[in-house]
Amino acid sequence: MSTHLLDPPRSAIPEAAARPAVAARSGAVLLSLLRRARKVSGLVVVLALWEAGARAGWLGSTTPPLSDVAVRGWEMASSGALFQNLGVSLGRVLKGLAIGLPAGLVLGLLSGLFRVSEDVIDAPVQAVRMLPHLALVPLFIIWFGIGETSKVGLIAVGVVFPLYINVFHGIRGVDERLVESARTCGLGRLGLIRKVILPGALPQILVGLRLSLGVAWLTLVVVEQSATASGIGFVINQATQFLQMETVFLVLVVYALLGVSTDLLVRLVERRALAWRRGLVAR
């Protein structure tokens, strides 16, 4: 009888057991919010210094404050001019990536998986890779004219090599002991490639993809500086001629945002595709 009286009510047991779980969940959410705030804190500081430095004249008389650039961006977005030219530039990059990324991936796979392909492919690719592809702009204009073909072709050439190098070294960096273990388990050539080699090389391949996307945006900046009647490069050229510095800095911000956005997209894919990998966790 006394033991029964000392027992807690049945309804209190689940509630007490749930409290630690609720507290842990709340703590995880708070830590996630704090980490996201920390990630953007550096960018916020840079933007604040830009605004204050431009207002105080520390950045020179030609550097507009961030607020003026934001106003100019709103005006161009409202008129549709910004999105129209941005769409043209995005189309060029997507076309170049659609050509260059598959080429770099296929060449890297062939050279990495087959010794004969490496002997045939690697030397020419390395020779062309040593050429500064941005210096090939005049040559591409002579070959393909001043139209879209030369611009898209130069972007495609630029993105091939970072991906090729990383695919090749990612495959060759797979531990041979894993391959031998898989062979002893009865895996054939295709099974080894699909279940061992490609998953092992995937981290390096994604690094190559990130580098290739960065090269694509850098190449876009260059190819749109000459003989262009549309695109955000055309906007910055026109603004430079008329000393519209708010527009110049606006386009630079757009370039930066495009590069950061694509890099974050690949990192998101990397986080999901490589959830199985155990690596060093920074503290």
Side-chain angles (χ1 to χ4, degrees):
M1 182 68 177
S2 59
T3 304
H4 176 73
L5 292 175
L6 292 176
D7 289 340
R10 294 182 179 274
S11 59
I13 296 177
E15 181 180 352
R19 285 174 186 171
V22 173
R25 195 179 306 115
S26 301
V29 172
L30 180 60
L31 287 175
S32 178
L33 292 176
L34 289 175
R35 190 171 179 224
R36 291 181 182 180
R38 188 176 62 190
K39 283 184 176 181
V40 301
S41 61
L43 180 59
V44 171
V45 170
V46 170
L47 295 178
L49 290 175
W50 176 8
E51 178 71 20
R55 292 290 180 188
W58 300 336
L59 304 180
S61 59
T62 58
T63 303
L66 175 62
S67 55
D68 291 353
V69 175
V71 170
R72 181 57 180 156
W74 175 258
E75 293 173 352
M76 292 188 66
S78 300
S79 65
L82 178 61
F83 296 116
Q84 179 180 358
N85 288 283
L86 181 59
V88 173
S89 296
L90 286 174
R92 289 170 179 152
V93 170
L94 291 176
K95 291 176 183 176
L97 292 175
I99 299 172
L101 291 182
L105 181 62
V106 170
L107 291 174
L109 288 173
L110 291 175
S111 295
L113 293 172
F114 307 104
R115 184 71 66 181
V116 174
S117 299
E118 179 191 0
D119 295 339
V120 175
I121 295 173
D122 191 62
V125 170
Q126 296 296 341
V128 177
R129 186 175 71 90
M130 292 298 106
L131 299 175
H133 79 283
L134 295 179
L136 299 177
V137 174
L139 185 60
F140 270 62
I141 291 177
I142 293 174
W143 282 349
F144 306 111
I146 61 174
E148 293 296 302
T149 303
S150 60
K151 298 176 178 60
V152 172
L154 200 62
I155 294 173
V157 169
V159 303
V160 167
F161 305 113
L163 187 58
Y164 168 81
I165 291 293
N166 282 275
V167 172
F168 176 79
H169 286 285
I171 292 174
R172 293 300 173 90
V174 174
D175 194 337
E176 181 67 23
R177 290 170 295 182
L178 295 176
V179 177
E180 293 298 331
S181 299
R183 282 176 178 156
T184 59
C185 293
L187 276 180
R189 181 74 178 182
L190 292 178
L192 284 173
I193 294 174
R194 185 168 59 90
K195 296 185 177 181
V196 178
I197 297 177
L198 289 183
L202 187 58
Q204 193 78 17
I205 294 174
L206 291 175
V207 170
L209 179 58
R210 292 176 65 181
L211 293 174
S212 292
L213 290 174
V215 171
W217 294 118
L218 177 62
T219 308
L220 177 70
V221 176
V222 175
V223 299
E224 290 190 333
Q225 296 300 309
S226 59
T228 304
S230 59
I232 52 179
F234 169 74
V235 174
I236 199 172
N237 279 337
Q238 293 292 103
T240 303
Q241 292 178 10
F242 295 101
L243 296 179
Q244 299 172 343
M245 298 309 296
E246 292 84 1
T247 305
V248 171
F249 277 85
L250 172 63
V251 175
L252 294 178
V253 170
V254 170
Y255 277 129
L257 291 176
L258 290 172
V260 171
S261 299
T262 52
D263 189 72
L264 289 176
L265 179 61
V266 177
R267 293 180 68 178
L268 178 61
V269 173
E270 180 180 14
R271 193 178 302 116
R272 294 182 179 276
L274 302 179
W276 52 268
R277 187 180 60 167
R278 288 183 175 271
L280 175 65
V281 179
R283 301 295 182 183

